[in-house]
Each structure stands twice: as C-alpha cells, then as structure tokens.
C-alpha cells in the first residue's frame, strides 16, 4: 500500500492515514497511536476517503470501538 496523506487532531490524540491499495483508498483510524479501525472505500474516490480522515481528526466523524 502507498501512503497518500496523514491527518492529525490539534491535540495529537487522533490521527488517520490514507493509503492506496492498488487504486482503492484505505483509511487507518488511530486513537492515541493505536489503530482502532481500518476502512476500505471500494466504491469511492480518493477525495472521499481523505474527507473521512479529516472529519475523524476534527471530531466530526465518530468511530465506535
């Protein structure tokens, strides 16, 4: 997988890494440097996955563990 972009919350507690697996966007969501979810965005463009990553670190997208 190729790393495309990284996102961090202001306090550093939340982060998200956007990768491409072939041409499919994948986002790894982290809390306190521990992965809490990896999501594949099969039917979406890269910008959709990047928006999800940004929304997560801004606290808009909530991920339950």
């Amino acid at each position: 997988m190729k790393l495309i972009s990284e996102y961090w919350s202001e306090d550093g507690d939340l982060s998200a890494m956007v990768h491409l697996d072939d041409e499919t966007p994948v986002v790894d969501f982290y809390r306190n440097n521990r992965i809490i979810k990896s999501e594949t965005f099969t039917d979406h463009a890269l910008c959709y996955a990047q928006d999800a990553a940004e929304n997560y670190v801004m606290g808009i997208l909530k991920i339950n563990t």
Side-chain angles (χ1 to χ4, degrees):
M1 279 195 280
K2 179 181 176 183
L3 179 63
I4 301 299
S5 51
E6 300 177 54
Y7 298 85
W8 296 88
S9 62
E10 286 187 25
D11 63 6
D13 289 346
L14 303 176
S15 61
M17 310 301 163
V18 180
H19 305 270
L20 279 181
D21 185 5
D22 292 324
E23 294 297 316
T24 304
V26 178
V27 180
D28 294 332
F29 298 96
Y30 294 83
R31 183 179 297 127
N32 297 320
N33 296 318
R34 300 184 116 179
I35 191 165
I36 58 169
K37 184 177 183 180
S38 183
E39 187 169 348
T40 303
F41 292 86
T42 306
D43 296 324
H44 297 284
L46 175 60
C47 62
Y48 186 91
Q50 290 174 312
D51 286 347
E54 186 175 19
N55 287 340
Y56 172 69
V57 299
M58 291 176 60
I60 297 167
L61 174 63
K62 306 292 185 192
I63 296 179
N64 298 323
T65 57

